[in-house]
Amino acid sequence: MPAGSNAYNSLWQVRNDAWSTLEELTAQLALACAQQRPVGPLTDTVAEALNILAPIERFWAFPGLPAFFKMRRLFTTGKYDRCATRVARINRSLATDSYRADQTWDADAEDDAYDHEPSQADQASARPTRPYFEVLVVEDMTEDQERALREEFRRWRRPDDQFVYEIVVVPSFDDALMAARLNFRLQACVVRRRFAHRSRNDTSSLRQFVSLLGSDDLMDHPPDERAQVLARALARIRPELDLYLMTEIAVEDLAGRLSHHFRRIFHTREGSLELHLSILDGIAARYRAPFFSALRSYSHRPTGVFHALPVSHGKSIVNSHWIRDMVDFYGLEIFLAETSATCGGLDSLLEPTGPLREAQELAAQTFGSRRTYFVTNGTSTANKIVVQALVRPGDIVLVDRNCHQSHHYGLMLAGAMVAYLDAYRLNPYSMYGAVPLTEIKSQLLALRRAGKLDRVKMLLLTNCTFDGIVYDVQRVMQECLAIKPDLIFLWDEAWFAFARFHPVYRPRTAMRAARTLAELLRQPDHKTSYDAQIEAIGAVDAADDEVLLSRRLLPDPARARIRVYATQSTHKTLTSLRQGSMIHVWDQDFGQKVEDTLHEAYMTHTSTSPNYQILASLDLGRRQAALEGFELVQKQIENAMRLRDAVDHHPLLSKYMRCLSTADLIPAEYRPSGIDQPLRSGLPNMIHVWDTDEFVLDPSRVTIYIGNTGIEGDSFKRQQLMDRYGVQINKTSRNTVLFMTTIGTTRSSVAYLIEVLVTIARELEAQLGDMSPAERAAHERAVLRLCNPSAPLPDFSGFHPSFTDSRGQPTSEGDVRRAFYLAYNDSYCEYLMPDEVEQRVEAGEQVVSTTYVTPYPPGFPVLVPGQVFSPQILAFMRSLDTPEVHGYRADLGYRVYLDKALEIAATTRPAPPPDSAGPTADPAADPPGGTT
Ligand SMILES: Cc1ncc(COP(=O)(O)O)c(C=O)c1O
C-alpha cells in the first residue's frame, strides 16, 4: 500500500488514486523515453504503483488480471509508449464507468484493444445500454480453465438480454470474502465445490480495509459444509448477493439441506446455461419495480377522465393560457402519470392487492423485514401509525424525551402514559446524545417495583440520532426483554435507511438486530448461558435491581417475543421523493389482530389520494438500494471522511473549525473499546468498535465545531452558508453545524463546501486583522461565550401529580393527552411571563405547562403538556438566544394551568386499561421462539 495509506478509508480510493498516478507516471515515462531522457527514477515509481495495484486487481473483472499483467509486461519489457496508452485507456474507462457499457472489451484478448485511443464512434457506442454487473466464481482453477469458463458464459449472451455481466474468479474462501467486501459491482456469486481456505496471495496490505472475521471457523467443517459456511459469511457481508452452488455430488440431497443458503443449486456436468439464465433472472427480480412499471404503462394509455384530478394527463394545463409554464418546468410525463385510478393495472395503497403489494413485498426483502408498508406522508406519519396500531390509552411507553415531535404528538393522540427517558448530555455543544441502557433499565425496574410492568407496552428510541449517535440495538432489546419479555420496540430510523446496505452498520439496524436476536434465542448456547445466569442471580423477575443494573442480561428464550418496528424516511437518506417513508415490521406476534389494528391506524393517517409519484419513487429507491446500495453507501462514507480530513488538516480551517469525533460526542464510559476515532484508524477497528461499544458515531454525519469563529450556529447556517453560498444544512446548535453526507453527496459537492468554509475562514481572518481593539474585544467575548458551556441542558423535570397515575408507588409516566386537551378550555389557563414563572417556582409553587415548548435549535420540547417548570428549565430558556420558540409567545409568555384546572384533572383520572394483554396477542402467531 502507498506510504500514508492510513489516510484512506477504502481500497477503492487507493485503487482509483493508484490508476490515476499510474496514468500520469507512464505518460511521463513514455515522454522521457521519446526524448531519450534518463528514465531510472520514474521506472521505480511506476513499479511502486503497479505493486499497489497487483494485489487488488484480482477482485475486479475490469480490466481483469490478464489485461493487467499484459500492461505490466509492456512496462517491464520497456514498451513504455504502449504501456502508457493502455493505462490511460483503462483509467479513463474506470473513471467514467464506460467499461460498463463497452461490452467489447475482453480481459483475455491477445489483441491490442487497449493500445489505441478510443475513437469518438467507440465512445458514442459505449453509452450504457443495459446495466452491467460482475459475478464472483469461487473455485481454485488454472488460468486456462478460467479463460474457458469466461468464454463459456459469454457464449450464452443474447442481444435482447436485459443485463450483461463478466465473471471474477477467486480461488479461496478468504479471497471470496475480500472480493465481496471490495467489489461493489458483484451482484451474484457462484460457489463451486473446490476452493481453498486461505488466499495464496499476501493479503497483509489489504487488512486495513477488509476484515476476515469468521473465516477461521472454516477449518472446523468437512469439505461439504464449506460451501455453506462461505454462503453464510458472504450473506453477512452482502445479503443482497444471489448465491448459487455448483457441485458434482448429490445435488438432490444438497438441495434439501442447503437450499435456504443458495438461490439455486446446479449439477456441474449439466453445463452453465441454466446457471446463466438464473443469474440474469435473479437480477431481474431485484430490478423489477412493479408499481413504477404499472404507473408508467398506465400513463401512456389514452384515458377519458370523469373523475377528480383535472391535472391528470395534463388536461387542465396543456390547453391553459396561463399556466403552461407548469408543463415547461415539470415536463409532461409527470402529469401523464398523475391519476386517481386504482384499477387498470394500478393499485390502492389502502388495500393493496396488485403492484403496490408486490412493491412492498420486494421492499421487505431488501430491507430484511417480514412486512413493509409504504407511507406517503413522511416518517412523521409512519410513527403515528405504528404507535396507534400498538398502544392503547393507558399503556405505558418509554421514550427518549429528545425524540422527534411526531412521537410526542403521536403518543399524545394515542393516550399513552408517557415515561420520558433522559439522554446523556453534551453540555459543551448544547446537544443531547442518546439514552444509556442503564437509564432504560432503571425506568423499567422502577415500573416493576411499582407493580406496573405489565402495563409497559413499548420502548421508542431514535436510531441513529440526528447527530449520528448509534445504539447497540440488539443489546438494548436483549436486556430489556430480560426484564419485560413482551416489550415492543419502535426504532425511529428516520435517518438510518441507508444503514442496511453497509456491513458494518447493518447489525445496528432494527430489522437485522431483530432477526439476529430471534436466531440467538433459538441457539442451545443461549439456553446454556441463560441457565448460567439463573444459577448466578436467580430468576430476573426476583433479582435485585442493583444486580440487574450491573450486568448484561439475557432474556428467557421460552418467554421473550421479538416484536420490532422501524420507521424510515427513505427520502432522507436514499432515493425517494420528499415524504416517501417506510414502516418495516419484524414481529413474531404480527397476527391478524395486529394486522387489523395497523390497517386501522394506516387508514386513520393516510390520505385517500396518496401521491403516486412518491410511491413510484419508493419502488425505484428500493430497486436502487437493492442493486447499488452497497456501493453508494461506501462512497458516502468516503466523502464524509474526505470532508473530515479536509477540515481537520487545513491549516486555516483548523484554526476556526474542528470536526467533532467519537470521543467528543460519546463519553468514554460508553466506549469500552477506548478507540477515539474508529474509522480513521482502519476499517477493522471500526468493525471492532461497532461490535463492542454501547454507542458509536455514524461517520457520515459530520458535526463541525465553530465556537472559535465567534459566529453562533444558526447565523452561520443562515447568513453564511445558505444566503451567501447556497449551502443547505439542517441542524445547528449554539456552536456547531451538522453536515450530512448522503448517497447523493459527490466529491465536487464536498470540494465546494471546503471552498466555502475556507472562504469564510479567510474573511474572518481578514476581518480580525482590521478590527479595532474594541471590536477585537467584542469578538473575543463572542468566542468565549460560544466556547463556554451555556446553562446545562435540563433533564425531564416530571409531570404534575394530576396527570400521573396516583395508585401505588409514584413513577414518572404521565398522561399527556389529558394534559393537552384540558387546555382547550381557556378558562383553565393563563399566560405568565418568564419572570413571574420564576418567582412562583422560587416560592415553591408548581407551575405546569399546558403545551409543548420547543426552542429551535435545539429542537426538543423543553416542556410538554402537564410538565412542571423547574429552575434548570428556566435557566436554560434564559440562556437561549434562538429566535424561534414554539409554544412560547414573546408578548404573553408561557401558557400554564390555573390551580383549579389541576384540581379538576386530579379528580377525573380515567381507570387504567382492564388488562395488559393488549390488542396484539394472537393465538395464530408464532409460538415463543418461533420461526423467522
Ligand atoms: C428522528 C426523526 N424522526 C422522524 C422525523 C420525521 O420524518 P419525515 O420528515 O419523513 O416526516 C424526523 C425529521 O426530521 C426525525 O428527525
Side-chain angles (χ1 to χ4, degrees):
M1 289 299 103
S5 65
N6 276 345
Y8 287 98
N9 308 111
S10 92
L11 201 63
W12 310 345
Q13 276 175 290
V14 176
R15 183 176 186 233
N16 288 345
D17 286 3
W19 274 106
S20 298
T21 312
L22 197 61
E23 181 179 350
E24 243 174 75
L25 292 173
T26 48
Q28 284 174 25
L29 188 61
L31 187 67
C33 187
Q35 295 172 346
Q36 298 181 340
R37 284 188 282 116
V39 292
L42 265 176
T43 52
D44 291 347
T45 41
V46 170
E48 220 173 90
L50 286 170
N51 286 343
I52 292 168
L53 288 171
I56 309 177
E57 286 307 316
R58 63 204 157 97
F59 300 117
W60 279 273
F62 180 82
L65 267 194
F68 178 78
F69 288 144
K70 268 173 227 161
M71 181 266 290
R72 194 162 69 175
R73 252 192 327 271
L74 290 174
F75 166 70
T76 48
T77 53
K79 294 177 184 129
Y80 299 139
D81 197 28
R82 285 181 63 198
C83 175
T85 313
R86 244 171 201 256
V87 171
R89 177 129 194 227
I90 293 173
N91 189 35
R92 254 165 274 166
S93 293
L94 281 171
T96 59
D97 271 354
S98 62
Y99 66 90
R100 289 180 187 251
D102 179 6
Q103 275 129 35
T104 55
W105 62 266
D106 179 355
D108 301 310
E110 283 301 332
D111 65 19
D112 57 359
Y114 294 101
D115 293 355
H116 61 85
E117 286 292 320
S119 67
Q120 289 211 331
D122 276 356
Q123 283 176 354
S125 69
R127 254 177 231 120
T129 43
R130 46 190 175 172
Y132 164 87
F133 63 94
E134 295 182 2
V135 174
L136 184 69
V137 176
V138 190
E139 178 163 30
D140 201 354
M141 55 176 94
T142 64
E143 266 182 44
D144 286 346
Q145 285 170 325
E146 194 177 317
R147 187 175 310 124
L149 189 67
R150 207 186 313 280
E151 276 162 15
E152 188 179 330
F153 277 115
R154 281 191 177 168
R155 269 203 305 279
W156 300 127
R157 285 185 190 171
R158 293 288 171 271
D160 57 351
D161 283 345
Q162 227 185 333
F163 317 103
V164 64
Y165 66 89
E166 284 289 344
I167 61 166
V168 184
V169 180
V170 293
S172 73
F173 182 97
D174 282 0
D175 290 307
L177 292 197
M178 282 191 268
R181 186 67 191 79
L182 300 174
N183 183 348
F184 49 76
R185 290 170 216 145
L186 293 178
Q187 296 290 353
C189 172
V190 182
V191 178
R192 319 242 300 186
R193 193 150 175 267
R194 277 184 219 94
F195 58 86
H197 178 201
R198 293 284 177 227
S199 179
R200 278 194 293 269
N201 298 295
D202 175 13
T203 56
S204 53
S205 61
L206 307 180
R207 294 285 159 149
Q208 178 191 337
F209 307 102
V210 286
S211 158
L212 293 177
L213 283 180
S215 79
D216 285 340
D217 43 24
L218 191 69
M219 297 310 282
D220 308 335
H221 294 269
D224 272 358
E225 283 180 21
R226 289 186 177 188
Q228 184 183 339
V229 178
L230 176 57
R232 264 207 306 264
L234 287 170
R236 258 201 306 274
I237 304 172
R238 303 273 303 270
E240 78 280 10
L241 287 183
D242 293 327
L243 302 182
Y244 300 92
L245 178 63
M246 271 204 120
T247 175
E248 59 265 31
I249 57 163
V251 231
E252 304 75 10
D253 170 48
L254 282 181
R257 286 193 289 123
L258 302 183
S259 58
H260 56 293
H261 293 295
F262 295 96
R263 198 165 180 273
R264 284 280 305 270
I265 297 177
F266 296 97
H267 197 282
T268 319
R269 244 177 276 128
E270 280 162 13
S272 55
L273 178 58
E274 272 300 301
L275 173 62
H276 164 78
L277 295 174
S278 298
I279 288 172
L280 292 182
D281 184 59
I283 305 306
R286 273 187 271 157
Y287 188 78
R288 236 156 42 85
F291 187 71
F292 170 69
S293 304
L295 189 60
R296 197 161 58 167
S297 29
Y298 188 89
S299 72
H300 291 154
R301 283 166 41 181
T303 50
V305 180
F306 294 96
H307 197 318
L309 205 65
V311 294
S312 171
H313 272 219
K315 291 209 163 76
S316 67
I317 309 168
V318 286
N319 295 324
S320 163
H321 299 292
W322 294 95
I323 57 167
R324 264 190 233 154
D325 48 347
M326 197 166 173
V327 174
D328 296 342
F329 182 65
Y330 289 107
L332 188 59
E333 293 294 328
I334 195 161
F335 300 109
L336 292 179
E338 272 298 300
T339 172
S340 353
T342 53
C343 50
L346 292 172
D347 203 353
S348 158
L349 180 64
L350 296 171
E351 296 282 353
T353 53
L356 266 177
R357 191 189 173 102
E358 262 184 88
Q360 294 181 128
E361 283 165 4
L362 285 169
Q365 278 169 30
T366 302
F367 289 91
S369 69
R370 286 175 157 196
R371 271 297 179 100
T372 287
Y373 295 83
F374 288 174
V375 179
T376 55
N377 196 18
T379 299
S380 304
T381 293
N383 287 334
K384 291 180 194 129
I385 292 173
V386 177
V387 164
Q388 181 182 321
L390 297 161
V391 175
R392 297 172 312 168
D395 283 342
I396 298 174
V397 176
L398 273 59
V399 57
D400 177 359
R401 200 259 318 232
N402 187 27
C403 66
H404 187 252
Q405 62 182 40
S406 55
H407 297 295
H408 293 284
Y409 288 110
L411 291 167
M412 182 271 288
L413 286 175
M417 293 296 284
V418 184
Y420 284 112
L421 301 163
D422 281 315
Y424 66 79
R425 287 178 289 199
L426 292 163
N427 280 328
Y429 315 115
S430 301
M431 279 173 4
Y432 283 96
V435 183
L437 188 48
T438 43
E439 159 80 0
I440 303 170
K441 284 165 72 178
S442 306
Q443 287 259 15
L444 281 175
L445 294 172
L447 288 158
R448 183 176 83 158
R449 276 197 308 278
K452 295 181 187 167
L453 201 54
D454 58 339
R455 285 177 45 208
V456 177
K457 191 52 158 264
M458 179 184 272
L459 171 65
L460 200 167
L461 294 171
T462 307
N463 191 49
C464 66
T465 67
F466 217 134
D467 306 292
I469 314 290
V470 184
Y471 285 83
D472 184 341
V473 177
Q474 187 186 327
R475 180 168 171 204
V476 169
M477 297 202 290
Q478 190 166 314
E479 294 218 38
C480 289
L481 288 176
I483 300 172
K484 167 80 178 153
D486 58 352
L487 189 63
I488 301 175
F489 300 88
L490 169 53
W491 293 96
D492 180 336
E493 294 184 346
W495 297 104
F496 219 42
F498 73 95
R500 164 95 189 153
F501 305 98
H502 191 286
V504 181
Y505 283 67
R506 194 179 306 112
R508 290 194 180 228
T509 62
M511 292 300 107
R512 174 44 70 92
R515 204 187 92 181
T516 312
L517 198 49
E519 283 168 4
L520 185 87
L521 292 185
R522 283 201 296 272
Q523 299 296 322
D525 282 0
H526 176 80
K527 176 78 173 79
T528 314
S529 309
Y530 178 71
D531 290 344
Q533 174 177 289
I534 294 192
E535 189 82 4
I537 62 169
V540 167
D541 290 350
D544 270 359
D545 288 2
E546 272 99 278
V547 174
L548 299 180
L549 283 172
S550 65
R551 58 182 288 151
R552 191 180 279 231
L553 301 177
L554 299 176
D556 179 352
R559 288 170 63 210
R561 308 295 292 154
I562 309 298
R563 309 199 58 190
V564 184
Y565 292 73
T567 50
Q568 293 179 345
S569 296
T570 318
H571 68 102
K572 288 195 201 299
T573 65
L574 296 173
T575 295
S576 157
L577 292 181
R578 202 162 153 83
Q579 296 191 358
S581 285
M582 297 191 198
I583 298 171
H584 300 300
V585 181
W586 210 106
D587 182 351
Q588 284 179 330
D589 289 343
F590 193 81
Q592 194 58 51
K593 278 191 185 162
V594 188
E595 184 165 358
D596 289 349
T597 55
L598 198 102
H599 189 225
E600 292 297 329
Y602 200 83
M603 300 280 274
T604 309
H605 296 280
T606 303
S607 164
T608 44
S609 314
N611 185 310
Y612 281 175
Q613 315 318 324
I614 297 178
L615 293 169
S617 74
L618 282 171
D619 199 14
L620 288 171
R622 185 275 312 151
R623 176 211 280 176
Q624 180 185 42
L627 287 159
E628 57 183 347
F630 176 69
E631 170 180 358
L632 295 175
V633 173
Q634 179 70 38
K635 290 188 173 163
Q636 163 186 352
I637 297 165
E638 277 173 22
N639 281 328
M641 295 311 283
R642 282 195 185 101
L643 174 59
R644 284 172 184 273
D645 286 344
V647 172
D648 287 346
H649 297 154
H650 191 285
L652 181 62
L653 275 188
S654 52
K655 202 166 145 190
Y656 295 104
M657 301 169 203
R658 159 173 92 80
C659 293
L660 295 186
S661 68
T662 299
D664 293 310
L665 294 176
I666 304 174
E669 63 191 291
Y670 307 119
R671 294 186 292 111
S673 73
I675 299 175
D676 287 354
Q677 303 213 30
L679 188 50
R680 280 210 177 142
S681 47
L683 192 77
N685 258 345
M686 180 174 168
I687 295 175
H688 169 61
V689 167
W690 280 58
D691 248 7
T692 51
D693 286 358
E694 177 168 349
F695 299 115
V696 293
L697 182 66
D698 169 7
S700 76
R701 302 174 79 87
V702 183
T703 301
I704 299 187
Y705 180 72
I706 52 162
N708 289 331
T709 61
I711 307 171
E712 203 265 333
D714 199 51
S715 315
F716 197 89
K717 162 177 152 175
R718 286 175 208 278
Q719 289 155 21
Q720 300 285 340
L721 295 173
M722 279 187 180
D723 294 351
R724 295 183 59 201
Y725 300 105
V727 172
Q728 292 178 21
I729 59 163
N730 195 328
K731 185 178 177 253
T732 58
S733 76
R734 221 163 46 89
N735 50 19
T736 65
V737 281
L738 170 67
F739 296 91
M740 275 180 60
T741 54
T742 68
I743 61 166
T745 307
T746 59
R747 282 184 83 160
S748 309
S749 51
V750 172
Y752 178 61
L753 176 59
I754 297 298
E755 208 181 298
V756 167
L757 294 178
V758 170
T759 310
I760 295 172
R762 267 206 205 106
E763 285 173 0
L764 199 63
E765 188 89 339
Q767 280 163 13
L768 278 169
D770 293 347
M771 277 179 187
S772 66
E775 285 168 333
R776 183 173 273 276
H779 171 78
E780 277 161 14
R781 277 197 302 279
V783 171
L784 204 66
R785 192 172 52 79
L786 289 180
C787 293
N788 280 320
S790 63
L793 292 160
D795 276 343
F796 183 69
S797 55
F799 286 104
H800 186 272
S802 300
F803 302 107
T804 58
D805 182 355
S806 60
R807 285 148 304 180
Q809 276 184 41
T811 41
S812 68
E813 77 281 6
D815 187 343
V816 183
R817 184 168 72 176
R818 251 175 359 105
F820 181 85
Y821 282 111
L822 197 67
Y824 276 37
N825 186 336
D826 280 340
S827 69
Y828 290 167
C829 314
E830 64 177 329
Y831 278 98
L832 291 182
M833 292 308 279
D835 288 352
E836 281 174 273
V837 179
E838 259 177 66
Q839 282 161 19
R840 291 200 193 177
V841 170
E842 263 171 38
E845 277 180 51
Q846 289 209 306
V847 183
V848 182
S849 178
T850 62
T851 188
Y852 296 99
V853 177
T854 311
Y856 292 94
F860 68 90
V862 171
L863 288 154
V864 303
Q867 185 182 343
V868 294
F869 282 77
S870 67
Q872 290 85 351
I873 289 172
L874 290 164
F876 177 72
M877 290 300 286
R878 221 181 312 116
S879 74
L880 289 177
D881 42 17
T882 50
E884 198 184 329
V885 182
H886 176 86
Y888 170 79
R889 286 185 56 175
D891 54 341
L892 298 174
Y894 296 104
R895 193 159 188 255
V896 302
Y897 276 117
L898 293 167
D899 286 348
K900 70 172 179 187
L902 298 170
E903 281 156 24
I904 290 167
T907 52
T908 54
R909 282 194 185 89
D915 66 78
S916 61
T920 57
D922 179 3
D926 296 344
T931 59
T932 53

